[in-house]
Amino acid sequence: MNREYYLENLRKFIYYFIDLPLWAYGCRSSRREKRLFSMFEPEIASIKDGYMSLCKYTGKKPDDSEIKEVIEKSFQVRIVKESDTYTSLRMSRSKTHKYFHVKGIEHLKASAENNRPIIILTGHYGSFFIPSIAFAHLGYKVYPIARTVDRSPATPPVTRLYLTLSYRITEKRFSARYIYTDFSGKIDRDIIRLSNSAGIFWTAIDLPRRLYDHKHLPVNLFGQPSTLPSGIVKWGVKKNAIFLTAWNSVEPKGSNKFFRLLTIEEPIPENRDVNFILQTYADRLTNRVIKQPWQWMGLQVIDQYRESRGTGT
């Protein structure tokens, strides 16, 4: 093991297991924040390039101040999202409104009255893995669909440890549990039993083919030809599911404080056409990202979403 490898893993360990939990519990000194932000310095160029590509797709001409704002806010969102592993331990029912502001819960309420499975389509947007805590406090058992932790050498050991811990900690705050899928598209078969009892599922499907090459279908995304995974949508159509979209953005609240804005949009119009559902989701994702590009983790790899027509599988 060379010295650089050791030092890099030490930096990640301090970040994941010392600085993030302390930041989550309010220890936000300027020195700690500087150290937190330093972890993302190697990503500045890819965030800038991603935002420039988004602007090119949408015909916008950004100035330097806008680029700086996107970079700074991207880092803030990432820190809140990753520290939410530890913040979730404080998210009691009595404090729900301290951590979450919820809009559009009436859409979920009306959909649940139909006694059909519900699939809430979201993206890797804001703090996307903890909304099931808010839903539980509001009386809804929502099952998040998550990929298993990558055990390959591509994911550093410290990162694997953090992700495993994150799943275990946050799941204890749900009234439901994670439904795991792997990188080949295989999913926990218990989803069938849960769907038969009108289960509610939360899933992020904004994955480019390079990261998840499974049952992609063509869509227009940011006005460009692209593809998105369709497996959960095809399955939901067979199960007569209701499809909603929702987003859990990270929003500022005063000086160095944040809350999570969980916005549940109206159901996608009843349509058994998988392409229509997937394109409606893509349109809503596009609108969200254009308004708040710093919320979206896909910004750094946005060019990977662009594909030539005829590449759906």
Side-chain angles (χ1 to χ4, degrees), residues 193-259:
R193 177 185 64 82
L194 294 169
S195 69
N196 290 337
S197 56
I200 306 173
F201 306 94
W202 170 275
T203 182
I205 62 170
D206 56 334
L207 294 169
R209 188 186 299 275
R210 183 174 175 182
L211 295 179
Y212 186 76
D213 186 12
H214 187 68
K215 295 184 179 179
H216 276 236
L217 285 177
V219 295
N220 285 316
L221 190 63
F222 311 116
Q224 304 296 313
S226 182
T227 68
L228 288 173
S230 65
I232 192 68
V233 176
K234 289 180 177 179
W235 177 82
V237 167
K238 290 179 181 178
K239 291 292 182 178
N240 194 32
I242 297 171
F243 291 89
L244 289 84
T245 52
W247 321 92
N248 193 43
S249 59
V250 173
E251 306 292 346
K253 181 175 67 174
S255 177
N256 211 12
K257 293 183 179 181
F258 304 88
F259 67 93

Side-chain angles (χ1 to χ4, degrees), residues 62-105:
D63 57 35
D64 290 342
S65 64
E66 290 174 330
I67 295 171
K68 182 180 179 181
E69 179 188 28
V70 169
I71 292 171
E72 290 179 350
K73 288 185 175 180
S74 294
F75 293 163
Q76 290 174 347
V77 169
R78 180 82 73 85
I79 290 171
V80 173
K81 177 185 75 69
E82 295 187 344
S83 67
D84 271 351
T85 291
Y86 306 104
T87 308
S88 68
L89 294 170
R90 308 172 71 185
M91 293 177 177
S92 63
R93 186 181 301 273
S94 63
K95 296 181 179 179
T96 300
H97 297 295
K98 176 180 178 181
Y99 296 103
F100 294 95
H101 294 186
V102 181
K103 293 175 61 178
I105 193 65

